[in-house]
Amino acid sequence: PAELLAFEQFVDYCTALLRCRSNGVLRDVPVDEREDVISQFLLHCWKRDQRVLRKFEYRGVPFSAWLMKAMRRVALKYMKRQKACEEI
């Protein structure tokens, strides 16, 4: 179906973008856990009828910059959860 193809293209684009910039955006996430965070982020963006993606509004800033900011928020939430688990 077209939706599956669109999702695959989205995943390919975002994964490549996030991998090449992961040292900055995911700098606090251990290297061996970065792929998990990227996967969580992509699923988060796509679920609920792509509600997260629909929040993007062009204001002179490219989609890739918006995506990096959103990814950084997901990475920070991930790190907070990991820290909470370690404290238990």
Side-chain angles (χ1 to χ4, degrees):
E3 187 173 291
L4 180 59
L5 179 60
F7 179 71
E8 289 174 353
Q9 291 173 342
F10 171 74
V11 167
D12 290 344
Y13 169 79
C14 292
T15 301
L17 183 66
L18 294 168
R19 279 186 184 146
C20 77
R21 296 188 182 174
S22 65
N23 286 338
V25 176
L26 299 174
R27 66 181 167 266
D28 299 328
V29 178
V31 175
D32 59 331
E33 296 177 23
R34 290 180 182 177
E35 290 294 320
D36 293 337
V37 176
I38 291 171
S39 297
Q40 288 176 15
F41 173 69
L42 295 174
L43 288 172
H44 174 73
C45 286
W46 199 259
K47 68 182 181 181
R48 298 187 197 138
D49 298 323
Q50 302 89 35
R51 191 179 317 159
V52 172
L53 295 176
R54 290 186 181 147
K55 288 181 182 179
F56 174 74
E57 183 179 318
Y58 183 75
R59 296 180 186 169
V61 178
F63 177 71
S64 60
W66 177 86
L67 192 67
M68 291 297 109
K69 186 175 181 179
M71 180 68 214
R72 184 73 184 143
R73 285 192 302 268
V74 170
L76 290 172
K77 286 180 185 178
Y78 176 84
M79 292 304 295
K80 285 179 185 177
R81 281 194 306 269
Q82 292 300 103
K83 186 176 181 181
C85 289
E86 289 174 5
E87 290 177 356
I88 293 177

